[in-house]
Amino acid sequence: MPNTSNNPQEKTPVPAIRAYLGGSFDPVHNGHLEVAMSVYQHLLPIATQLQRTLHVSLLPNARSPFKTQSTDPNHRLAMLKLATENTPIQINELELWQAPPVYTIDSVRTLRQQYPNDSLIFIMGMDSAHSLDKWKDGLHLTDHVNLWVFNRQSSTDVSDGISEKFTDRTISSKNNTAITQDVNFLKTQLPLSLQPYITDSPIELLTPPIHHSTNSLNSNNTDPTSPDPNNTDLKNAIQGRIYIDPRPITAVSSTQIREQLQKLDDQTNKMPVAQRQIASIASINDIISNTESNPLAKWLNPAVYQYIIVHQLYSAAQFR
């Protein structure tokens, strides 16, 4: 079964459930897959009970508007396919081939137009949700989709005890009292205008979209934040809900992984050619065997790591 989907238009008797995790995935790492799989595993029994199809997809962007450089989309897509092979996670290429910058608000509008009756969920970390008022029309994302917000902990140093931290703290729920306190605090971290839409249950993200008709709007309303009744895009607007997942995940960024790859590359470049080839093979074997001596072992799929080396991405040395 292919794990890519560009513009699927499946017609199902019951509205589908579609969840999206956006990002540059430069490179894709196991932290991305952990989040996507967590949502999938959480929703699958509910979707099965409701007899609704479930799609959880990675949504790679063309290039982040906050970054000046990005790896070729063909490489990022190839790595995504390797990372999601033999998983239920799909890849949606909606943003990937568009000319940057591409904004999330435009993407969720497009998805809502494609799937007007489906339950749409956009997945993000609290660090992103906290700054939605800085995004282009970020406070209007819930006009089109629901939000599933993860509690991202402070960023982990990739080279310092990464394996132990990832195993012990990722998506963990050992202390229910602490989690309740954390959620109450996290709720206050959302922009004030979004706080009324918080729900304590992810099931509320699956209710059929509630379409708001602009006919009921007051045409004399001069509030600039109110929907424009002449804007046809908002005539079918919905009001989404926001679920804050209480299970903390350890944050690691693709930037940290790129920096670690650069360090490894600098080290191997100082070796003679024969030793470099041996070091490269050893590094791949470390990741395949999940060896703690390699700080990338817990974060990169072995096939993805090998792809990086073969294609000399992130200044990784090429050994054929």
Side-chain angles (χ1 to χ4, degrees):
M1 179 178 176
N3 63 358
T4 60
S5 57
N6 290 321
N7 293 304
Q9 295 291 343
E10 305 95 340
K11 293 183 179 180
T12 56
V14 179
I17 302 167
R18 302 179 186 274
Y20 301 90
L21 174 63
S24 61
F25 304 108
D26 194 10
V28 59
H29 55 70
N30 293 340
H32 297 133
L33 271 295
E34 286 282 342
V35 170
M37 281 300 302
S38 175
V39 172
Y40 181 88
Q41 291 167 353
H42 199 121
L43 292 180
L44 183 59
I46 302 173
T48 302
Q49 183 178 4
L50 298 176
Q51 297 184 327
R52 299 174 65 177
T53 58
L54 173 63
H55 306 270
V56 177
S57 303
L58 303 181
L59 185 69
N61 57 30
R63 177 177 63 79
S64 168
F66 303 108
K67 297 178 181 178
T68 57
Q69 295 181 342
S70 183
T71 303
D72 187 308
N74 290 289
H75 285 313
R76 289 189 287 124
L77 179 59
M79 289 187 286
L80 283 167
K81 289 179 179 180
L82 290 171
T84 57
E85 190 174 6
N86 299 321
T87 78
I89 305 304
Q90 302 175 13
I91 304 164
N92 188 296
E93 300 177 35
L94 171 66
E95 296 185 354
L96 191 60
W97 308 109
Q98 297 183 50
V102 179
Y103 295 99
T104 301
I105 187 64
D106 298 323
S107 297
V108 299
R109 282 173 176 153
T110 298
L111 291 169
R112 177 50 67 195
Q113 290 171 357
Q114 289 180 351
Y115 308 112
N117 299 314
D118 291 353
S119 298
L120 303 186
I121 301 170
F122 196 81
I123 307 165
M124 64 175 60
M126 179 54 78
D127 51 341
S128 295
H130 176 71
S131 61
L132 279 176
D133 55 346
K134 307 294 192 302
W135 293 26
K136 179 185 177 183
D137 293 335
L139 298 180
H140 290 292
L141 290 183
T142 52
D143 291 348
H144 311 280
V145 297
N146 301 285
L147 301 182
W148 188 310
V149 181
F150 274 94
N151 174 19
R152 284 167 58 99
Q153 297 286 359
S154 59
S155 187
T156 297
D157 184 349
V158 175
S159 62
D160 181 18
I162 184 171
S163 302
E164 190 172 325
K165 290 182 180 179
F166 186 82
T167 301
D168 291 345
R169 298 181 60 191
T170 297
I171 310 178
S172 171
S173 56
K174 295 180 180 178
N175 190 326
N176 292 330
T177 302
I179 285 175
T180 300
Q181 294 173 345
D182 287 344
V183 171
N184 288 334
F185 171 74
L186 289 169
K187 289 178 180 179
T188 67
Q189 300 304 296
L190 282 178
L192 191 61
S193 63
L194 295 180
Q195 292 180 21
Y197 309 131
I198 295 174
T199 176
D200 293 328
S201 171
I203 296 178
E204 290 198 32
L205 307 185
L206 309 183
T207 56
I210 302 174
H211 296 274
H212 293 298
S213 172
T214 56
N215 294 333
S216 62
L217 293 174
N218 183 350
S219 60
N220 294 323
N221 189 350
T222 59
D223 184 351
T225 63
S226 297
D228 179 359
N230 296 319
N231 185 340
T232 56
D233 287 341
L234 294 181
K235 287 185 178 179
N236 292 320
I238 68 164
Q239 183 52 67
R241 303 303 297 264
I242 302 171
Y243 171 65
I244 300 177
D245 196 315
R247 299 167 297 174
I249 61 172
T250 303
V252 63
S253 70
S254 294
T255 300
Q256 291 175 304
I257 291 178
R258 291 196 301 270
E259 291 173 350
Q260 188 64 29
L261 286 166
Q262 179 65 62
K263 290 179 182 178
L264 292 177
D265 185 59
D266 290 342
Q267 293 170 3
T268 55
N269 279 341
K270 297 175 182 178
M271 301 177 182
V273 174
Q275 286 185 322
R276 271 188 278 166
Q277 186 170 4
I278 294 172
S280 173
I281 295 172
S283 295
I284 294 174
N285 289 338
D286 281 348
I287 290 184
I288 292 174
S289 60
N290 210 18
T291 303
E292 290 188 6
S293 61
N294 189 325
L296 296 170
K298 288 288 185 180
W299 293 104
L300 286 179
N301 178 292
V304 171
Y305 185 73
Q306 188 166 12
Y307 185 94
I308 290 171
I309 290 178
V310 168
H311 293 274
Q312 303 185 60
L313 303 182
Y314 318 115
S315 298
Q318 180 180 14
F319 302 114
R320 297 188 182 276

